[in-house]
Amino acid sequence: KLFFTDYGNAAKVERCDMDGMNRTWIVDSKIEQPTALALDLINKYVYWLDIYLESVEVVDYQGRRRQTITKGRQIRHLSGLAVFENYLYTISSDNSSILRINRYNGTDVQALARLEDAKEIRVYQKRTQAAGK
């Protein structure tokens, strides 16, 4: 499956098959500007940032069990989103910081490091990388 966001005429989070067929809206209400997306492949959850609503939210792959992880000023002006273990990682353009957010309660938001002009973030974990030669 391919997951993506759209905030054209009607904001939404969608999924489709890798060939573009079977396009399905999984979130289409109470959403304004979803700009970043991260997948929990093991538990089959989709996380997204909504920069207009200043929120980080999550649903399962079918669009059920929606929850707000965190909302408000502490996550203003974010870009990029990655998930690893118990945390979400994102970039704050307010202070050029990498932020770590507890994905289960949203209350534990910590700035980890400063990184000038970063717009995107990825987590690379040794177990998921192909062996190099």
Side-chain angles (χ1 to χ4, degrees), residues 16-30:
C16 65
D17 294 339
M18 293 301 285
D19 63 2
M21 301 301 291
N22 299 313
R23 191 169 170 178
T24 305
W25 295 6
I26 61 173
V27 178
D28 64 350
S29 66
K30 299 178 186 169

Side-chain angles (χ1 to χ4, degrees), residues 100-129:
R100 183 178 77 175
I101 303 167
N102 184 305
R103 70 177 172 143
Y104 298 112
N105 62 30
T107 59
D108 182 16
V109 179
Q110 295 181 354
L112 299 180
R114 291 182 54 81
L115 198 59
E116 295 299 323
D117 298 323
K119 302 288 185 228
E120 190 58 63
I121 189 164
R122 293 286 179 257
V123 172
Y124 292 95
Q125 207 277 339
K126 187 175 181 177
R127 292 186 308 240
T128 62
Q129 302 304 307

Side-chain angles (χ1 to χ4, degrees), residues 79-82 89-91 98-99 118-124:
S79 62
L81 189 64
Y89 296 87
T90 186
I91 305 291
I98 297 171
L99 297 181
K119 302 288 185 228
E120 190 58 63
I121 189 164
R122 293 286 179 257
V123 172
Y124 292 95

Side-chain angles (χ1 to χ4, degrees), residues 58-107:
V58 62
V59 293
D60 66 17
Y61 279 12
Q62 287 69 46
R64 297 184 303 247
R65 300 194 295 224
R66 184 174 180 172
Q67 290 184 297
T68 300
I69 303 300
T70 189
K71 186 173 178 71
R73 296 180 69 142
Q74 66 186 4
I75 58 158
R76 182 177 287 173
H77 304 121
L78 299 182
S79 62
L81 189 64
V83 61
F84 180 66
E85 294 181 343
N86 296 331
Y87 296 96
L88 298 169
Y89 296 87
T90 186
I91 305 291
S92 171
S93 62
D94 279 347
N95 57 10
S96 301
S97 294
I98 297 171
L99 297 181
R100 183 178 77 175
I101 303 167
N102 184 305
R103 70 177 172 143
Y104 298 112
N105 62 30
T107 59

Side-chain angles (χ1 to χ4, degrees), residues 27-38:
V27 178
D28 64 350
S29 66
K30 299 178 186 169
I31 187 168
E32 294 292 331
Q33 285 185 300
T35 58
L37 185 87

